[in-house]
Coordinates of all heavy atoms in Angstrom, one line a residue:
M51 N 12.7 -3.6 -8.1 CA 11.6 -2.7 -8.6 C 11.7 -1.4 -7.9 O 11.9 -1.3 -6.7 CB 10.3 -3.5 -8.4 CG 9.1 -2.7 -8.4 SD 7.6 -3.6 -8.2 CE 7.9 -4.9 -7.1
R52 N 11.5 -0.3 -8.7 CA 11.6 1.0 -8.1 C 10.2 1.6 -8.2 O 9.4 1.4 -9.1 CB 12.5 1.9 -8.9 CG 13.9 1.3 -9.1 CD 15.0 1.8 -8.2 NE 15.1 3.1 -7.8 CZ 15.6 3.5 -6.6 NH1 16.1 2.5 -5.8 NH2 15.7 4.7 -6.2
V53 N 9.9 2.5 -7.2 CA 8.6 3.2 -7.1 C 8.9 4.7 -7.3 O 9.7 5.3 -6.7 CB 8.0 3.0 -5.7 CG1 6.7 3.8 -5.6 CG2 7.7 1.5 -5.4
T54 N 8.1 5.2 -8.3 CA 8.2 6.7 -8.5 C 7.2 7.3 -7.6 O 6.0 7.1 -7.7 CB 7.9 7.0 -10.0 OG1 8.9 6.3 -10.8 CG2 8.1 8.5 -10.2
K55 N 7.7 8.2 -6.7 CA 6.9 8.9 -5.8 C 6.2 10.1 -6.4 O 6.6 10.5 -7.5 CB 7.7 9.3 -4.6 CG 8.4 8.1 -3.9 CD 9.1 8.5 -2.6 CE 10.3 9.4 -2.8 NZ 11.0 9.6 -1.5
R56 N 5.3 10.7 -5.7 CA 4.5 11.8 -6.3 C 5.5 13.0 -6.5 O 5.2 13.8 -7.4 CB 3.4 12.2 -5.3 CG 2.4 11.2 -5.2 CD 1.1 11.7 -4.5 NE 0.2 10.6 -4.1 CZ -0.5 9.9 -4.9 NH1 -0.5 10.2 -6.2 NH2 -1.3 9.0 -4.5
N57 N 6.5 13.2 -5.8 CA 7.5 14.3 -6.0 C 8.5 14.0 -7.1 O 9.4 14.8 -7.3 CB 8.2 14.7 -4.7 CG 9.1 13.6 -4.2 OD1 9.3 12.5 -4.9 ND2 9.7 13.8 -3.0
G58 N 8.3 12.9 -7.8 CA 9.2 12.5 -8.9 C 10.4 11.7 -8.6 O 11.1 11.1 -9.4
E59 N 10.7 11.6 -7.3 CA 11.9 10.8 -6.9 C 11.5 9.3 -6.9 O 10.3 9.0 -6.9 CB 12.3 11.2 -5.4 CG 12.8 12.6 -5.3 CD 13.2 12.9 -3.9 OE1 13.4 12.0 -3.0 OE2 13.4 14.1 -3.6
S60 N 12.4 8.5 -6.9 CA 12.1 7.0 -6.9 C 12.9 6.4 -5.8 O 14.0 6.9 -5.3 CB 12.4 6.4 -8.2 OG 13.8 6.3 -8.4
E61 N 12.4 5.3 -5.3 CA 13.0 4.5 -4.3 C 12.7 3.0 -4.5 O 11.7 2.7 -5.2 CB 12.7 4.9 -2.9 CG 11.2 4.7 -2.5 CD 10.9 5.1 -1.1 OE1 11.2 6.2 -0.7 OE2 10.3 4.3 -0.4
E62 N 13.4 2.2 -3.8 CA 13.2 0.7 -4.0 C 11.8 0.4 -3.3 O 11.4 0.9 -2.3 CB 14.3 -0.1 -3.3 CG 14.4 -1.5 -3.6 CD 14.6 -1.8 -5.1 OE1 15.3 -1.0 -5.7 OE2 14.1 -2.8 -5.5
F63 N 11.1 -0.5 -4.0 CA 9.8 -1.0 -3.5 C 10.0 -1.6 -2.1 O 11.0 -2.3 -1.9 CB 9.2 -2.0 -4.4 CG 7.9 -2.6 -4.0 CD1 6.7 -2.0 -4.2 CD2 7.9 -3.8 -3.2 CE1 5.5 -2.5 -3.8 CE2 6.7 -4.4 -2.8 CZ 5.5 -3.7 -3.1
N64 N 9.1 -1.3 -1.2 CA 9.1 -1.8 0.2 C 7.7 -2.3 0.6 O 6.9 -1.5 0.9 CB 9.6 -0.8 1.1 CG 9.8 -1.2 2.5 OD1 9.3 -2.3 2.9 ND2 10.5 -0.4 3.3
Q65 N 7.5 -3.6 0.5 CA 6.2 -4.1 0.8 C 5.8 -3.9 2.3 O 4.6 -3.8 2.6 CB 6.1 -5.6 0.5 CG 6.3 -6.6 1.5 CD 6.1 -8.0 1.0 OE1 6.5 -8.4 -0.1 NE2 5.6 -8.9 1.9
Q66 N 6.8 -3.7 3.2 CA 6.4 -3.4 4.6 C 5.6 -2.1 4.7 O 4.8 -2.0 5.5 CB 7.7 -3.3 5.4 CG 7.5 -3.1 6.9 CD 6.8 -4.3 7.5 OE1 7.1 -5.5 7.2 NE2 5.9 -4.1 8.4
K67 N 5.9 -1.1 3.8 CA 5.2 0.1 3.8 C 3.7 -0.1 3.5 O 2.8 0.6 4.1 CB 5.8 1.1 2.8 CG 7.1 1.7 3.3 CD 7.6 2.7 2.4 CE 8.9 3.3 2.9 NZ 9.4 4.4 2.0
I68 N 3.4 -1.0 2.6 CA 2.0 -1.3 2.3 C 1.3 -2.0 3.5 O 0.2 -1.6 3.9 CB 1.9 -2.3 1.1 CG1 2.4 -1.6 -0.1 CG2 0.5 -2.7 0.9 CD1 2.6 -2.4 -1.4
Y69 N 2.0 -2.9 4.1 CA 1.5 -3.6 5.3 C 1.2 -2.6 6.4 O 0.1 -2.6 7.0 CB 2.5 -4.7 5.8 CG 2.1 -5.3 7.1 CD1 1.1 -6.3 7.2 CD2 2.6 -4.8 8.3 CE1 0.8 -6.9 8.4 CE2 2.3 -5.4 9.5 CZ 1.3 -6.4 9.5 OH 1.0 -6.9 10.7
D70 N 2.2 -1.8 6.7 CA 2.1 -0.8 7.8 C 0.9 0.2 7.6 O 0.2 0.5 8.5 CB 3.4 0.0 8.0 CG 4.5 -0.8 8.5 OD1 4.3 -1.9 9.0 OD2 5.7 -0.3 8.4
A71 N 0.8 0.6 6.3 CA -0.3 1.6 6.0 C -1.7 0.9 6.2 O -2.6 1.5 6.7 CB -0.1 2.1 4.6
I72 N -1.8 -0.3 5.7 CA -3.1 -1.0 5.9 C -3.4 -1.2 7.4 O -4.5 -1.0 7.8 CB -3.1 -2.3 5.1 CG1 -3.0 -2.1 3.6 CG2 -4.4 -3.2 5.4 CD1 -2.8 -3.3 2.8
M73 N -2.4 -1.6 8.1 CA -2.6 -1.9 9.6 C -3.0 -0.6 10.3 O -4.0 -0.6 11.1 CB -1.4 -2.5 10.2 CG -1.1 -3.9 9.8 SD -2.4 -5.0 10.2 CE -2.3 -4.9 12.0
K74 N -2.3 0.5 10.0 CA -2.7 1.8 10.6 C -4.1 2.2 10.2 O -4.8 2.8 11.0 CB -1.7 2.9 10.2 CG -0.3 2.7 10.9 CD 0.7 3.7 10.5 CE 2.0 3.4 11.1 NZ 3.1 4.3 10.7
S75 N -4.4 2.0 9.0 CA -5.8 2.4 8.5 C -6.8 1.5 9.2 O -7.9 2.0 9.6 CB -5.9 2.2 7.0 OG -5.1 3.1 6.3
M76 N -6.6 0.3 9.4 CA -7.5 -0.6 10.2 C -7.6 -0.1 11.6 O -8.7 0.0 12.1 CB -7.0 -2.1 10.1 CG -7.1 -2.8 8.8 SD -6.4 -4.4 9.0 CE -6.8 -5.1 7.4
Q77 N -6.5 0.2 12.2 CA -6.5 0.6 13.6 C -7.3 1.9 13.8 O -8.0 2.1 14.8 CB -5.1 0.8 14.2 CG -4.4 -0.5 14.3 CD -2.9 -0.3 14.4 OE1 -2.3 0.8 14.4 NE2 -2.2 -1.4 14.7
H78 N -7.1 2.9 12.9 CA -7.7 4.2 13.1 C -9.0 4.3 12.4 O -9.7 5.4 12.5 CB -6.7 5.3 12.6 CG -5.5 5.3 13.4 ND1 -5.4 5.8 14.7 CD2 -4.2 4.9 13.1 CE1 -4.2 5.7 15.1 NE2 -3.4 5.1 14.2
G79 N -9.4 3.3 11.6 CA -10.7 3.4 10.9 C -11.7 2.5 11.6 O -12.3 3.0 12.6
S80 N -11.9 1.3 11.1 CA -13.0 0.5 11.6 C -12.6 -0.1 13.0 O -13.5 -0.5 13.7 CB -13.2 -0.7 10.7 OG -12.1 -1.5 10.6
G81 N -11.3 -0.1 13.3 CA -10.9 -0.8 14.6 C -10.8 -2.3 14.5 O -10.3 -2.9 15.4
I82 N -11.2 -2.8 13.3 CA -11.1 -4.3 13.1 C -9.7 -4.5 12.5 O -9.4 -4.0 11.4 CB -12.2 -4.8 12.2 CG1 -13.5 -4.6 12.8 CG2 -11.9 -6.3 11.8 CD1 -14.7 -4.8 11.9
I83 N -8.8 -5.2 13.2 CA -7.5 -5.4 12.8 C -7.2 -6.8 12.3 O -7.4 -7.7 13.1 CB -6.5 -5.0 13.9 CG1 -6.8 -3.5 14.3 CG2 -5.1 -5.2 13.5 CD1 -6.2 -3.1 15.6
K84 N -6.8 -7.0 11.1 CA -6.6 -8.3 10.5 C -5.2 -8.3 9.9 O -5.0 -8.1 8.7 CB -7.6 -8.6 9.5 CG -9.0 -8.6 10.1 CD -10.1 -9.0 9.1 CE -11.4 -9.1 9.7 NZ -12.4 -9.7 8.8
P85 N -4.2 -8.6 10.7 CA -2.8 -8.6 10.2 C -2.5 -9.5 9.0 O -1.8 -9.2 8.1 CB -1.9 -9.0 11.4 CG -2.8 -8.7 12.6 CD -4.2 -8.9 12.1
T86 N -3.2 -10.7 9.1 CA -3.0 -11.7 8.0 C -3.5 -11.1 6.6 O -2.8 -11.3 5.6 CB -3.7 -13.0 8.3 OG1 -3.3 -13.5 9.6 CG2 -3.5 -14.0 7.2
I87 N -4.6 -10.4 6.6 CA -5.1 -9.8 5.4 C -4.1 -8.7 4.9 O -3.8 -8.7 3.7 CB -6.5 -9.3 5.6 CG1 -7.5 -10.5 5.7 CG2 -6.9 -8.4 4.4 CD1 -8.9 -10.2 5.9
A88 N -3.7 -7.9 5.8 CA -2.7 -6.8 5.5 C -1.5 -7.4 4.9 O -1.0 -7.0 3.8 CB -2.4 -6.0 6.7
Q89 N -0.9 -8.5 5.5 CA 0.3 -9.1 5.0 C 0.0 -9.8 3.6 O 0.8 -9.6 2.7 CB 0.8 -10.2 6.0 CG 2.1 -10.8 5.6 CD 3.2 -9.8 5.5 OE1 3.3 -9.0 6.3 NE2 4.1 -9.9 4.5
N90 N -1.1 -10.4 3.5 CA -1.4 -11.1 2.2 C -1.5 -10.0 1.1 O -1.0 -10.2 -0.1 CB -2.8 -11.8 2.3 CG -2.6 -13.1 3.1 OD1 -1.5 -13.6 3.4 ND2 -3.7 -13.6 3.5
I91 N -2.2 -8.9 1.3 CA -2.3 -7.8 0.3 C -0.9 -7.3 -0.1 O -0.6 -7.1 -1.2 CB -3.2 -6.7 0.8 CG1 -4.7 -7.2 0.9 CG2 -3.1 -5.5 -0.1 CD1 -5.7 -6.2 1.5
A92 N -0.1 -7.1 0.9 CA 1.3 -6.5 0.6 C 2.0 -7.5 -0.2 O 2.7 -7.1 -1.2 CB 2.0 -6.3 2.0
E93 N 1.9 -8.8 0.1 CA 2.6 -9.8 -0.7 C 2.0 -9.9 -2.1 O 2.8 -10.1 -3.1 CB 2.5 -11.2 0.0 CG 3.4 -11.3 1.2 CD 3.2 -12.5 2.1 OE1 2.4 -13.4 1.6 OE2 3.8 -12.6 3.1
E94 N 0.7 -9.8 -2.2 CA 0.1 -9.9 -3.6 C 0.5 -8.7 -4.4 O 0.7 -8.9 -5.6 CB -1.4 -9.9 -3.4 CG -2.0 -11.2 -2.9 CD -3.5 -11.1 -2.5 OE1 -4.2 -10.2 -3.0 OE2 -3.9 -12.0 -1.8
I95 N 0.6 -7.5 -3.8 CA 1.0 -6.3 -4.6 C 2.4 -6.5 -5.1 O 2.7 -6.2 -6.3 CB 0.9 -5.1 -3.7 CG1 -0.5 -4.8 -3.3 CG2 1.5 -3.9 -4.4 CD1 -1.5 -4.4 -4.4
K96 N 3.3 -7.0 -4.2 CA 4.7 -7.2 -4.7 C 4.7 -8.2 -5.8 O 5.4 -8.0 -6.8 CB 5.5 -7.8 -3.5 CG 7.0 -8.0 -3.9 CD 7.8 -8.4 -2.7 CE 9.2 -8.6 -3.1 NZ 10.1 -9.1 -2.0
E97 N 4.0 -9.3 -5.7 CA 3.9 -10.3 -6.8 C 3.3 -9.7 -8.1 O 3.8 -10.0 -9.2 CB 3.1 -11.5 -6.3 CG 3.1 -12.6 -7.3 CD 2.4 -13.9 -6.8 OE1 2.6 -14.2 -5.6 OE2 1.6 -14.4 -7.6
D98 N 2.3 -9.0 -7.9 CA 1.6 -8.4 -9.1 C 2.5 -7.5 -9.9 O 2.4 -7.5 -11.1 CB 0.4 -7.6 -8.7 CG -0.8 -8.5 -8.1 OD1 -0.7 -9.7 -8.3 OD2 -1.7 -7.9 -7.6
F99 N 3.4 -6.8 -9.3 CA 4.3 -5.9 -10.0 C 5.7 -6.4 -10.1 O 6.6 -5.7 -10.6 CB 4.3 -4.6 -9.2 CG 3.0 -3.8 -9.3 CD1 2.2 -3.7 -8.2 CD2 2.6 -3.2 -10.5 CE1 1.0 -3.1 -8.3 CE2 1.4 -2.5 -10.5 CZ 0.6 -2.4 -9.4
S100 N 5.9 -7.6 -9.8 CA 7.3 -8.2 -9.8 C 8.0 -8.2 -11.2 O 9.2 -8.2 -11.3 CB 7.3 -9.6 -9.3 OG 6.6 -10.5 -10.1
N101 N 7.2 -8.1 -12.3 CA 7.7 -8.1 -13.6 C 8.1 -6.7 -14.1 O 8.6 -6.6 -15.2 CB 6.8 -8.8 -14.6 CG 5.5 -8.1 -14.7 OD1 5.1 -7.4 -13.8 ND2 4.8 -8.4 -15.8
K102 N 7.8 -5.7 -13.3 CA 8.1 -4.3 -13.7 C 9.4 -3.8 -13.1 O 9.6 -4.2 -11.9 CB 6.9 -3.4 -13.4 CG 5.7 -3.7 -14.1 CD 4.7 -2.6 -13.8 CE 3.6 -2.6 -14.9 NZ 2.8 -1.3 -14.7
E103 N 10.1 -3.0 -13.8 CA 11.3 -2.4 -13.2 C 10.9 -1.1 -12.4 O 11.5 -0.8 -11.4 CB 12.3 -2.1 -14.3 CG 13.0 -3.3 -14.9 CD 14.0 -2.9 -15.9 OE1 14.6 -1.8 -15.8 OE2 14.2 -3.7 -16.9
N104 N 9.9 -0.4 -13.0 CA 9.5 0.8 -12.4 C 8.0 0.9 -12.3 O 7.3 0.5 -13.2 CB 9.9 2.1 -13.2 CG 11.4 2.2 -13.2 OD1 12.0 2.4 -12.2 ND2 12.0 2.0 -14.4
I105 N 7.5 1.3 -11.2 CA 6.0 1.5 -11.0 C 5.8 2.9 -10.4 O 6.6 3.4 -9.7 CB 5.4 0.4 -10.2 CG1 6.0 0.3 -8.8 CG2 5.4 -0.9 -10.9 CD1 5.3 -0.7 -7.9
N106 N 4.6 3.4 -10.7 CA 4.2 4.7 -10.1 C 3.3 4.5 -8.9 O 2.6 3.5 -8.8 CB 3.4 5.4 -11.2 CG 3.1 6.8 -10.8 OD1 2.3 7.1 -9.9 ND2 3.7 7.8 -11.5
I107 N 3.4 5.4 -8.0 CA 2.7 5.2 -6.7 C 1.2 5.1 -7.0 O 0.5 4.4 -6.2 CB 3.0 6.4 -5.7 CG1 2.4 6.1 -4.4 CG2 2.5 7.7 -6.3 CD1 3.0 5.0 -3.7
S108 N 0.7 5.7 -8.0 CA -0.8 5.6 -8.3 C -1.2 4.2 -8.7 O -2.3 3.8 -8.5 CB -1.2 6.6 -9.4 OG -0.5 6.4 -10.6
E109 N -0.2 3.5 -9.3 CA -0.5 2.1 -9.7 C -0.6 1.2 -8.4 O -1.5 0.4 -8.3 CB 0.6 1.5 -10.5 CG 0.8 2.1 -11.9 CD 1.9 1.5 -12.6 OE1 3.0 2.1 -12.5 OE2 1.8 0.5 -13.3
I110 N 0.2 1.5 -7.4 CA 0.1 0.8 -6.1 C -1.2 1.2 -5.4 O -1.9 0.3 -4.9 CB 1.4 1.1 -5.3 CG1 2.6 0.6 -5.9 CG2 1.2 0.5 -3.9 CD1 3.9 1.0 -5.2
E111 N -1.5 2.4 -5.4 CA -2.7 2.9 -4.8 C -3.9 2.2 -5.3 O -4.7 1.6 -4.6 CB -2.9 4.4 -5.0 CG -4.2 5.0 -4.5 CD -4.3 6.4 -4.9 OE1 -4.2 6.8 -6.1 OE2 -4.6 7.2 -3.9
T112 N -4.1 2.1 -6.7 CA -5.2 1.4 -7.3 C -5.2 0.0 -6.9 O -6.3 -0.6 -6.6 CB -5.1 1.6 -8.8 OG1 -5.2 3.0 -9.1 CG2 -6.3 0.9 -9.5
A113 N -4.1 -0.7 -7.0 CA -4.0 -2.1 -6.7 C -4.4 -2.4 -5.2 O -5.1 -3.4 -4.9 CB -2.6 -2.6 -7.0
V114 N -3.9 -1.6 -4.3 CA -4.3 -1.8 -2.9 C -5.8 -1.6 -2.7 O -6.4 -2.4 -2.0 CB -3.5 -0.8 -2.0 CG1 -4.0 -0.8 -0.5 CG2 -2.0 -1.1 -2.0
F115 N -6.4 -0.6 -3.3 CA -7.8 -0.4 -3.1 C -8.6 -1.6 -3.7 O -9.5 -2.0 -3.1 CB -8.2 0.9 -3.8 CG -7.7 2.2 -3.2 CD1 -7.6 3.3 -3.9 CD2 -7.3 2.2 -1.9 CE1 -7.1 4.5 -3.4 CE2 -6.8 3.4 -1.3 CZ -6.7 4.5 -2.1
E116 N -8.2 -2.0 -4.8 CA -8.9 -3.2 -5.5 C -8.8 -4.4 -4.6 O -9.7 -5.2 -4.4 CB -8.3 -3.5 -6.8 CG -8.7 -2.4 -7.9 CD -8.0 -2.6 -9.2 OE1 -7.2 -3.4 -9.4 OE2 -8.4 -1.8 -10.1
K117 N -7.6 -4.6 -4.0 CA -7.4 -5.8 -3.1 C -8.3 -5.7 -1.9 O -8.9 -6.7 -1.4 CB -6.0 -6.0 -2.7 CG -5.0 -6.1 -3.8 CD -4.8 -7.5 -4.2 CE -3.8 -7.6 -5.3 NZ -3.9 -8.9 -6.1
L118 N -8.3 -4.5 -1.3 CA -9.2 -4.3 -0.1 C -10.7 -4.5 -0.4 O -11.4 -5.2 0.3 CB -9.0 -2.9 0.4 CG -7.6 -2.6 1.1 CD1 -7.5 -1.1 1.3 CD2 -7.5 -3.4 2.4
I119 N -11.1 -4.0 -1.6 CA -12.5 -4.2 -2.0 C -12.8 -5.7 -2.2 O -13.8 -6.2 -1.8 CB -12.8 -3.4 -3.2 CG1 -12.8 -1.9 -2.9 CG2 -14.1 -3.8 -3.9 CD1 -12.8 -1.0 -4.0
S120 N -11.8 -6.4 -2.9 CA -12.1 -7.8 -3.2 C -12.1 -8.7 -1.9 O -12.8 -9.7 -1.9 CB -11.0 -8.3 -4.1 OG -9.7 -8.5 -3.4
K121 N -11.5 -8.2 -0.9 CA -11.5 -8.9 0.4 C -12.7 -8.4 1.3 O -12.8 -8.8 2.5 CB -10.2 -8.8 1.1 CG -9.1 -9.5 0.3 CD -7.8 -9.5 1.0 CE -6.6 -10.0 0.1 NZ -6.9 -11.2 -0.7
K122 N -13.5 -7.5 0.7 CA -14.6 -6.9 1.4 C -14.2 -6.3 2.7 O -15.0 -6.3 3.7 CB -15.7 -8.0 1.6 CG -16.2 -8.6 0.4 CD -17.3 -9.6 0.6 CE -18.0 -10.1 -0.6 NZ -17.4 -10.3 -1.8
L123 N -13.1 -5.6 2.7 CA -12.7 -4.9 3.9 C -13.2 -3.4 3.8 O -13.1 -2.8 2.8 CB -11.1 -4.8 4.0 CG -10.5 -6.0 4.5 CD1 -9.0 -5.8 4.6 CD2 -11.0 -6.4 5.9
S124 N -13.6 -3.0 5.0 CA -14.1 -1.6 5.0 C -13.2 -0.8 5.9 O -13.3 -0.9 7.1 CB -15.5 -1.6 5.7 OG -16.0 -0.3 5.8
I125 N -12.3 -0.1 5.3 CA -11.4 0.8 6.0 C -11.5 2.1 5.4 O -12.0 2.3 4.3 CB -9.9 0.3 6.0 CG1 -9.3 0.4 4.6 CG2 -9.8 -1.1 6.6 CD1 -7.8 0.3 4.6
D126 N -11.1 3.1 6.1 CA -11.2 4.5 5.6 C -10.2 4.7 4.6 O -9.0 4.7 4.9 CB -11.1 5.5 6.8 CG -11.4 6.9 6.4 OD1 -11.0 7.3 5.3 OD2 -11.9 7.6 7.3
I127 N -10.6 4.9 3.3 CA -9.6 5.1 2.2 C -8.8 6.3 2.4 O -7.6 6.4 2.1 CB -10.4 5.1 0.9 CG1 -11.1 3.8 0.6 CG2 -9.4 5.5 -0.3 CD1 -10.2 2.6 0.6
N128 N -9.4 7.4 3.0 CA -8.6 8.6 3.3 C -7.5 8.3 4.3 O -6.4 8.9 4.1 CB -9.5 9.7 3.8 CG -10.4 10.2 2.7 OD1 -10.0 10.3 1.5 ND2 -11.6 10.5 3.0
L129 N -7.7 7.5 5.3 CA -6.7 7.1 6.2 C -5.6 6.3 5.5 O -4.4 6.5 5.7 CB -7.2 6.3 7.4 CG -8.0 7.1 8.4 CD1 -8.6 6.1 9.4 CD2 -7.0 8.1 9.2
L130 N -6.0 5.4 4.6 CA -5.0 4.6 3.9 C -4.1 5.6 3.1 O -2.9 5.5 3.0 CB -5.7 3.6 3.0 CG -4.7 2.7 2.2 CD1 -3.9 1.8 3.1 CD2 -5.5 1.9 1.2
R131 N -4.7 6.5 2.4 CA -4.0 7.5 1.6 C -3.0 8.2 2.5 O -1.8 8.5 2.1 CB -4.9 8.5 0.9 CG -5.5 8.0 -0.3 CD -6.1 9.1 -1.1 NE -6.7 8.6 -2.3 CZ -8.0 8.6 -2.6 NH1 -8.8 9.1 -1.8 NH2 -8.4 8.1 -3.7
F132 N -3.4 8.7 3.6 CA -2.5 9.4 4.5 C -1.4 8.6 5.0 O -0.2 9.0 4.9 CB -3.3 9.9 5.8 CG -2.4 10.5 6.8 CD1 -1.8 11.8 6.6 CD2 -2.0 9.9 7.9 CE1 -0.9 12.4 7.5 CE2 -1.2 10.4 8.8 CZ -0.6 11.7 8.6
F133 N -1.7 7.4 5.5 CA -0.6 6.6 6.1 C 0.3 6.0 5.0 O 1.5 5.8 5.3 CB -1.2 5.4 6.9 CG -1.8 5.9 8.2 CD1 -3.1 5.7 8.5 CD2 -1.0 6.6 9.1 CE1 -3.7 6.1 9.7 CE2 -1.5 7.0 10.3 CZ -2.9 6.8 10.6
Y134 N -0.2 5.7 3.9 CA 0.7 5.0 2.9 C 1.1 5.9 1.8 O 2.3 6.2 1.6 CB -0.1 3.8 2.3 CG 0.7 3.1 1.2 CD1 1.8 2.4 1.5 CD2 0.3 3.2 -0.1 CE1 2.6 1.8 0.5 CE2 1.0 2.6 -1.1 CZ 2.1 1.9 -0.8 OH 2.9 1.3 -1.7
L135 N 0.2 6.4 1.1 CA 0.5 7.2 -0.1 C 1.2 8.5 0.2 O 2.2 8.9 -0.4 CB -0.7 7.3 -1.0 CG -1.4 6.0 -1.3 CD1 -2.7 6.2 -1.9 CD2 -0.5 5.2 -2.1
D136 N 0.6 9.3 1.1 CA 1.1 10.6 1.3 C 2.3 10.6 2.3 O 3.3 11.3 2.1 CB 0.0 11.5 1.9 CG -1.1 11.7 0.9 OD1 -0.8 11.6 -0.3 OD2 -2.2 12.0 1.3
F137 N 2.3 9.7 3.3 CA 3.3 9.7 4.3 C 4.5 8.8 3.9 O 5.6 9.3 3.8 CB 2.7 9.2 5.6 CG 3.7 9.1 6.7 CD1 4.2 10.3 7.3 CD2 4.2 7.9 7.2 CE1 5.2 10.2 8.3 CE2 5.1 7.9 8.2 CZ 5.6 9.0 8.8
C138 N 4.3 7.5 3.7 CA 5.3 6.6 3.5 C 6.2 6.9 2.3 O 7.4 6.8 2.3 CB 4.8 5.2 3.4 SG 4.0 4.6 4.8
W139 N 5.6 7.2 1.2 CA 6.4 7.3 -0.1 C 6.9 8.7 -0.3 O 7.6 9.0 -1.2 CB 5.6 6.9 -1.3 CG 5.3 5.4 -1.2 CD1 4.1 4.9 -0.8 CD2 6.2 4.3 -1.5 NE1 4.2 3.5 -0.9 CE2 5.5 3.1 -1.2 CE3 7.5 4.2 -1.9 CZ2 6.0 1.9 -1.4 CZ3 8.1 3.0 -2.0 CH2 7.3 1.8 -1.8
L140 N 6.6 9.7 0.6 CA 7.1 11.0 0.4 C 8.2 11.3 1.4 O 8.8 12.4 1.4 CB 6.0 12.0 0.7 CG 4.9 12.1 -0.4 CD1 3.9 13.1 -0.1 CD2 5.5 12.5 -1.8
E141 N 8.7 10.3 2.1 CA 9.8 10.5 3.0 C 11.1 10.9 2.3 O 11.3 10.5 1.2 CB 10.0 9.2 3.8 CG 8.8 8.8 4.6 CD 9.1 7.4 5.3 OE1 9.8 6.5 4.7 OE2 8.5 7.2 6.4

């Protein structure tokens, strides 16, 4: 599965980037760190999109936010955007 980044380039999906972004957001946001939840969300995202050949970063963004809300996690969404969406996928 390929991810189309904001700059139009694409790269192979990497669930570790989702995990890392959630963990950094937890550390720098609420301070409550739950690695198991971060890992579960990253795995769920991969599974949710496994039937697609190409996905857009905004699709991942929406799915991550929905998963965080469903798990009643309170992290700073702006930090998540910085660590994951803006930083990781624009490399």
Side-chain angles (χ1 to χ4, degrees):
M51 159 178 36
R52 307 258 330 147
V53 176
T54 302
K55 302 187 291 184
R56 294 195 194 283
N57 65 4
E59 295 180 17
S60 71
E61 67 179 51
E62 194 62 33
F63 177 85
N64 183 346
Q65 96 178 35
Q66 185 66 40
K67 288 184 177 186
I68 296 172
Y69 173 83
D70 292 344
I72 294 170
M73 290 299 295
K74 287 178 184 176
S75 295
M76 288 177 177
Q77 293 166 353
H78 296 285
S80 67
I82 299 170
I83 302 166
K84 299 184 178 187
T86 303
I87 289 177
Q89 185 62 41
N90 289 345
I91 289 173
E93 290 172 2
E94 289 171 17
I95 297 295
K96 181 178 182 180
E97 184 177 316
D98 289 350
F99 292 106
S100 64
N101 63 339
K102 291 188 164 192
E103 289 182 31
N104 295 294
I105 56 175
N106 188 291
I107 190 64
S108 62
E109 292 176 272
I110 295 174
E111 175 184 54
T112 300
V114 170
F115 293 157
E116 288 173 356
K117 301 274 183 199
L118 289 168
I119 290 167
S120 74
K121 296 183 185 321
K122 298 182 176 33
L123 279 181
S124 175
I125 67 168
D126 187 326
I127 297 304
N128 291 323
L129 283 173
L130 182 66
R131 279 194 179 115
F132 172 75
F133 288 122
Y134 177 67
L135 304 171
D136 294 336
F137 178 71
C138 294
W139 294 102
L140 289 177
E141 299 174 330

